[in-house]
Amino acid sequence: MTIGILGGGQLGYMLALAGYPLDFHFRFLDPSPQAPVGRIATRVTADYTDFEALEKFAHGLALVTYEFENVPVEAARFLQKIVPVYPPPQALETAQDRRSEKALFQKLKIPTTEFAEVDSANDLENAVRKIGLPAVLKTCRLGYDGKGQWVLRTSEDVQRAKSEIPAAPLILEKFVEFSRELSILAARARSGETAFYPLVENHHRGGILRLSLAPAPHLTPELQREAEAAARRVLEALDYVGVLAIELFECDGKLLANEMAPRVHNSGHWSIEGAVTSQFENHLRAVAGLPLGDTRTLGYSAMLNLIGELPDPAEVLAISDAHLHVYGKSLRPGRKVGHVTLRADTQAQLAQRLGQLPPFFQREEFCLPPEVAKSAK
Ligand code: AMP
């Protein structure tokens, strides 16, 4: 079976690596001739809106899925006339716009951050009156890794934002004093079967994910149940097929949904070594109409993102149960170029292994817990 994937970045790369043992073949479409999947699979270089290229791309495919959430929804709908497309284009459309995402959370009674719509610089004052400061102004579309966002703390920030904001729909969100950021990864098969990974704790710097701890420390069964119930409602409402990620804020022991991604997710990379079945394999099983795999964790994992630079591989691999993933992208500041997962049987052993990481990782931006960073010195 040949699976077509829209987008040829690292998520696609890891999907293909998970799919080869299951005898899947892959064909990718990406506008960039440098897309990393070119190293390991057939890659078609074309714009997502080149319908002639899409038609040729779809020829002979069993199904199409995506690894990039900003694929124009017209491309997914066009392909759907030729070949099954999973997750449903409606999920893509909902997740691409913060307002429709919020509307879905509200319809499904999933608590989400309070917000107001902003369509122009003039609306901003009204929105600030309604929401208060501090607040976060976000473009509704095409924001990622903290891009298209302004944190407004003072009336000067509001005045500055008025002259900077694009002529595009935005939302103003209340600034949430969360105790931590979490995410849940869920999978739904074509049969309707569902599976959930444990909540993961995520640490960001400069809007980019730096560290994920799986399962989230101090995870209670109540919190896990609350997250699963929310994810299940989204999966069912969208008749979803594939892996879905929901990013959440934990506030006073309760969860607030921030946003969702209709695809495999950076906060699930740990599952390659840290779960019985990885998010990548489960996404492929789901879209291919196969039973889902076991999502149980294998001990404790920490995933560290490599942003713009790579460590000495020998120093990482000298640590027991350390796993290095390099995506084959050119090194540029702010770019995700690889990740490292450390796995261990106990939390204490994981802390010890994190402490063995070379000085490269002992910088503040890697977000290592203070006791670990200290022990490494
Ligand atoms: P997002 O693009 O919505 O995932 O936002 C990127 C990051 O900005 C999040 O992971 C949070 O660390 C932070 N952030 C986003 N929205 C809020 C908010 N309403 N209050 C506080 N921090 C936020």
Side-chain angles (χ1 to χ4, degrees):
M1 167 188 300
T2 303
I3 296 178
I5 301 187
L6 301 177
Q10 66 268 17
L11 300 177
Y13 187 80
M14 288 183 272
L15 279 168
L17 293 178
Y20 288 131
L22 297 177
D23 202 24
F24 295 137
H25 299 256
F26 294 92
R27 189 184 304 159
F28 286 86
L29 186 131
D30 193 288
S32 165
Q34 270 100 42
V37 291
R39 280 163 83 192
I40 58 163
T42 311
R43 182 190 56 202
V44 174
T45 304
D47 279 341
Y48 296 119
T49 48
D50 179 345
F51 292 103
E52 220 177 290
L54 286 177
E55 191 164 352
K56 237 167 93 189
F57 169 73
H59 187 75
L61 294 178
L63 65 104
V64 166
T65 186
Y66 12 79
E67 63 94 75
F68 173 60
E69 77 196 63
N70 286 319
V71 167
V73 73
E74 311 85 80
R77 292 209 200 284
F78 174 81
L79 286 166
Q80 206 179 21
K81 290 187 213 137
I82 312 173
V83 63
V85 174
Y86 303 112
Q90 197 205 335
L92 191 68
E93 193 170 29
T94 307
Q96 280 176 356
D97 187 311
R98 291 188 191 269
R99 288 185 191 171
S100 49
E101 201 171 63
K102 291 273 195 196
L104 179 71
F105 291 149
Q106 288 176 327
K107 186 176 112 192
L108 300 176
K109 307 234 175 327
I110 297 171
T112 181
T113 318
E114 201 187 321
F115 73 103
E117 298 186 355
V118 175
D119 282 311
S120 66
N122 288 340
D123 282 356
L124 185 58
E125 305 268 4
N126 285 336
V128 170
R129 263 193 292 280
K130 182 169 165 217
I131 298 297
L133 292 179
V136 188
L137 184 64
K138 301 179 177 182
T139 54
C140 284
R141 301 180 72 85
L142 300 174
Y144 69 98
D145 286 349
K147 295 188 175 69
Q149 281 190 27
W150 298 261
V151 177
L152 310 181
R153 295 185 185 278
T154 62
S155 48
E156 289 78 57
D157 292 341
V158 177
Q159 292 315 317
R160 198 170 325 118
K162 275 172 78 170
S163 61
E164 281 178 15
I165 55 176
L170 300 120
I171 56 167
L172 185 74
E173 266 185 15
K174 199 180 203 46
F175 189 92
V176 181
E177 299 290 350
F178 51 78
S179 50
R180 58 177 174 168
E181 292 189 70
L182 300 166
S183 58
I184 181 137
L185 283 127
R188 187 166 180 270
R190 283 205 218 172
S191 64
E193 178 195 3
T194 52
F196 303 90
Y197 290 90
L199 277 162
V200 176
E201 180 180 303
N202 300 314
H203 296 261
H204 298 81
R205 281 292 175 278
I208 305 183
L209 180 68
R210 300 304 307 228
L211 170 73
S212 291
L213 298 171
H218 322 295
L219 178 57
T220 61
E222 296 74 43
L223 207 63
Q224 179 69 23
R225 262 201 302 275
E226 194 182 325
E228 287 188 16
R232 185 186 301 283
R233 289 204 286 278
V234 175
L235 292 175
E236 285 172 3
L238 294 170
D239 196 15
Y240 197 88
V241 174
V243 164
L244 169 87
I246 305 184
E247 294 180 35
L248 306 145
F249 298 136
E250 185 181 352
C251 285
D252 303 322
K254 290 268 160 226
L255 297 175
L256 281 178
N258 176 33
E259 60 176 359
M260 64 181 198
R263 53 167 170 78
V264 287
H265 193 257
N266 196 171
S267 67
H269 292 0
W270 62 273
S271 64
I272 298 175
E273 294 87 10
V276 177
T277 314
S278 76
Q279 62 162 347
F280 300 102
E281 182 174 334
N282 258 338
H283 182 76
L284 295 171
R285 288 183 182 221
V287 298
L290 295 170
L292 297 179
D294 194 336
T295 50
R296 258 178 316 148
T297 48
L298 300 169
Y300 298 83
S301 299
M303 190 280 319
L304 297 111
N305 263 342
L306 301 171
I307 312 288
E309 51 181 346
L310 296 169
D312 176 350
E315 288 186 336
V316 173
L317 298 176
I319 303 168
S320 182
D321 228 335
H323 306 270
L324 175 65
H325 297 255
V326 177
Y327 307 148
K329 293 158 81 172
S330 53
L331 305 184
R332 257 194 265 130
R335 200 170 197 213
K336 292 175 180 168
V337 291
H339 74 266
V340 170
T341 297
L342 297 187
R343 205 208 61 85
D345 293 330
T346 63
Q347 267 174 319
Q349 192 180 48
L350 181 63
Q352 190 198 8
R353 288 182 178 163
L354 283 166
Q356 290 168 6
L357 282 166
F360 178 94
F361 292 94
Q362 307 302 335
R363 288 172 286 161
E364 201 274 330
E365 69 259 32
F366 279 96
C367 307
L368 291 183
E371 62 283 7
V372 167
K374 228 180 331 154
S375 77
K377 289 203 177 117

